[in-house]
């Protein structure tokens, strides 16, 4: 990028990826959905091909159904956990063989963990589960640095 970094970016929306690569001044983009095992493998393959190793794996995935907790359906629960926890796990797992020694793996979490907000019960619960999954990664792979980056409300969410 403009600061000398080499980038591989991945997201579902290819048009937004093109904007990121243009702003960074370089990089490779992979249109992918981290909920797909195959897409996560493509992300890891692109990183291996373009970077050799990953020094920083930054995972910013999030979905919030914006529903009162009592009204959150089983399908919404499945979607939020699949996106906010399982997809992050898939992305990390796929990239594990490509991580450089002492690589940093950072995920985005939310200030709503431990500080409930109306209509964000499933979302904050999923981000709490994400924090615990990062603890598991940290425990089982002490050679890498796993952390959560806590952010506050974002409006608009784009």
């Amino acid at each position: 990028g403009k600061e000398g970094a080499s980038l591989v970016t991945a997201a579902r929306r290819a048009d937004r990826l093109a904007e990121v690569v243009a702003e960074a001044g370089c990089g490779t983009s992979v249109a992918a959905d981290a909920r797909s095992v195959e897409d996560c493998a493509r992300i890891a393959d692109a990183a291996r091909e373009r970077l050799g190793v990953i020094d920083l794996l930054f995972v910013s995935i999030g979905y919030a159904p914006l529903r009162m907790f009592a009204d959150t359906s089983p399908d919404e629960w499945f979607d939020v956990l699949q996106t906010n926890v399982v997809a992050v796990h898939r992305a990390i797992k796929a990239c594990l063989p490509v991580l450089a020694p002492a690589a940093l793996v950072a995920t985005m979490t939310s200030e709503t963990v431990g500080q409930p907000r109306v209509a964000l019960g499933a979302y904050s619960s999923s981000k709490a589960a994400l924090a615990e999954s990062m603890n598991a990664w940290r425990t089982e792979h002490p050679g890498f640095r796993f952390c959560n980056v806590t952010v506050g409300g974002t409006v608009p969410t784009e």
Side-chain angles (χ1 to χ4, degrees), residues 5 17 26 40 43 65 89 110 112 123 125 134 137 141-142 155 157:
L17 282 172
C26 75
C40 287
I43 295 166
H89 178 82
S110 170
T112 63
Y123 173 76
S125 296
M134 291 300 281
W137 280 114
H141 296 277
V155 177
T157 59

Side-chain angles (χ1 to χ4, degrees):
K2 294 177 184 174
E3 304 298 322
S6 297
L7 304 173
V8 172
T9 60
R12 289 177 295 118
R13 294 176 289 182
D15 59 326
R16 300 302 297 269
L17 282 172
E19 292 173 20
V20 171
V21 169
E23 186 175 328
C26 75
T28 298
S29 61
V30 179
D33 186 336
R35 294 172 296 185
S36 161
V37 172
E38 294 80 13
D39 283 7
C40 287
R42 287 189 316 102
I43 295 166
D45 289 343
R48 184 180 297 107
E49 291 169 13
R50 302 295 287 180
L51 307 174
V53 295
I54 298 170
D55 296 309
L56 167 63
L57 178 61
F58 185 76
V59 184
S60 175
I61 296 174
Y63 165 65
L66 300 177
R67 177 101 45 230
M68 296 299 283
F69 202 57
D71 298 329
T72 303
S73 73
D75 286 343
E76 287 167 327
W77 265 111
F78 178 80
D79 288 345
V80 76
L81 291 171
Q82 173 76 353
T83 303
N84 298 353
V85 183
V86 178
V88 174
H89 178 82
R90 282 190 181 124
I92 294 170
K93 181 179 177 181
C95 292
L96 204 60
V98 190
L99 294 179
L104 176 61
V105 179
T107 61
M108 297 285 281
T109 188
S110 170
E111 70 177 355
T112 63
V113 176
Q115 299 178 31
R117 302 283 196 294
V118 172
L120 288 174
Y123 173 76
S124 60
S125 296
S126 73
K127 291 297 185 170
L130 175 63
E132 285 304 309
S133 73
M134 291 300 281
N135 285 336
W137 280 114
R138 190 178 302 111
T139 299
E140 295 179 8
H141 296 277
F144 303 121
R145 298 170 293 154
F146 293 90
C147 71
N148 293 301
V149 177
T150 303
V151 295
T154 54
V155 177
T157 59
E158 295 296 313

